């Protein structure tokens, strides 16, 4: 949904101004304690499809192992580069291991440009075939063979998860986040509560917050 909104962004004048993220990677996908997923770092250096940094010959911005082949080749990019990156994130989330691995950066780059990830079904034998196929299509080296829009990818993922309501998915995600980070979340919540307690209510009466 976040990528769809970015790729279909329209400026205040009503002119299409698609934003390409250029660094969809695990570190930029944030999970809240309520089970929501947020996409961070949309202010990456190469922010728009039409910017000079998005043209061929631009410097590489992104995370190795998640960047699309065209990004590594420093070619012009559009939203389909982000879909490749999201595919790599989904692969790792499902398999518990990166799609593209190597002993050093050169090997990782080679794997993205010339290699092929281990089939998800081999890493996760009980994975639903339709979900594995969605991830595989995201990771096609040719952008013409990938999903052509974030909206199309979202529809495909929704079909894979149609037996699960969004509420149940968020509940399960929230449970995992709280299991892993429960004590740290409680510490932050207590610190915020104490900070508010130190200020009289009148201090906030005339604000817009």
């Amino acid at each position: 949904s976040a990528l769809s909104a970015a790729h279909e962004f329209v400026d205040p004048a009503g002119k299409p101004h698609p934003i390409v993220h250029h660094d969809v990677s695990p570190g930029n996908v944030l999970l809240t304690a309520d089970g929501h997923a947020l996409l961070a770092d949309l202010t990456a250096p190469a922010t728009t499809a039409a910017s000079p940094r998005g043209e061929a010959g631009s410097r590489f911005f992104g995370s190795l192992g998640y960047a699309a082949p065209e990004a590594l080749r420093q070619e012009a990019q559009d939203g389909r580069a982000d879909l490749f990156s999201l595919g790599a994130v989904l692969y790792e989330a499902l398999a518990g291991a990166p799609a593209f691995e190597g002993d050093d950066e050169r090997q990782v780059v080679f794997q993205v440009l010339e290699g092929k990830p281990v089939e998800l079904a081999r890493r996760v034998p009980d994975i639903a075939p339709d979900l594995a196929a969605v991830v595989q299509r995201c990771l096609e080296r040719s952008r013409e063979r990938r999903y052509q829009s974030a909206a199309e990818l979202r529809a495909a993922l929704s079909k894979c998860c149609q037996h699960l309501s969004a509420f149940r998915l968020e509940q399960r995600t929230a449970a995992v986040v709280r299991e892993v980070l429960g004590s740290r979340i409680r510490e932050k919540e207590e610190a915020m509560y104490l900070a508010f307690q130190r200020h009289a209510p009148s201090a906030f009466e005339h604000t817009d917050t």
Side-chain angles (χ1 to χ4, degrees):
S1 298
L3 286 178
S4 184
H7 297 168
E8 298 169 15
F9 181 72
V10 176
D11 68 20
K15 181 181 179 182
H17 195 74
I19 300 172
V20 181
H21 190 288
H22 292 283
D23 192 16
V24 178
S25 54
N28 283 330
V29 179
L30 312 181
L31 297 178
T32 72
D34 296 323
H36 298 290
L38 307 175
L39 182 62
D41 200 20
L42 271 165
T43 55
T47 52
T48 67
S51 72
R53 294 185 181 91
E55 295 172 358
S58 63
R59 284 202 301 133
F60 168 71
F61 294 99
S63 302
L64 288 179
Y66 305 96
E70 58 266 30
L72 296 178
R73 291 192 294 261
Q74 299 183 24
E75 299 172 350
Q77 299 161 58
D78 57 25
R80 292 172 293 181
D82 285 342
L83 302 189
F84 181 97
S85 301
L86 182 56
V89 172
L90 289 171
Y91 182 103
E92 186 167 346
L94 292 164
F100 305 100
E101 299 180 275
D103 295 331
D104 54 39
E105 292 183 352
R106 292 172 64 90
Q107 287 189 17
V108 173
V109 170
F110 176 81
Q111 287 299 319
V112 174
L113 295 177
E114 304 293 340
K116 193 174 183 180
V118 176
E119 289 184 12
L120 267 175
R122 289 178 56 189
R123 290 191 185 268
V124 191
D126 60 346
I127 191 171
D130 56 346
L131 180 56
V134 168
V135 177
Q136 178 59 47
R137 185 172 172 186
C138 290
L139 294 175
E140 290 285 351
R141 273 198 291 271
S142 168
R143 60 187 124 190
E144 285 75 25
R145 297 181 64 180
R146 296 175 209 152
Y147 292 98
Q148 297 300 291
S149 70
E152 185 184 3
L153 171 56
R154 181 187 179 190
L157 286 171
S158 295
K159 188 175 180 180
C160 293
C161 303
Q162 59 188 351
H163 61 291
L164 295 173
S165 69
F167 178 71
R168 279 186 61 200
L169 287 171
E170 289 175 359
Q171 268 192 328
R172 292 170 64 181
T173 304
V176 172
V177 172
R178 289 191 172 274
E179 180 182 347
V180 176
L181 299 174
S183 60
R184 291 174 60 185
I185 291 172
R186 284 191 295 275
E187 288 173 5
K188 287 186 177 293
E189 288 174 343
E190 289 171 5
M192 291 173 64
Y193 180 71
L194 290 173
F196 283 121
Q197 274 192 322
R198 286 197 294 269
H199 299 277
S202 59
F204 300 97
E205 284 178 359
H206 303 293
T207 70
D208 295 327
T209 306

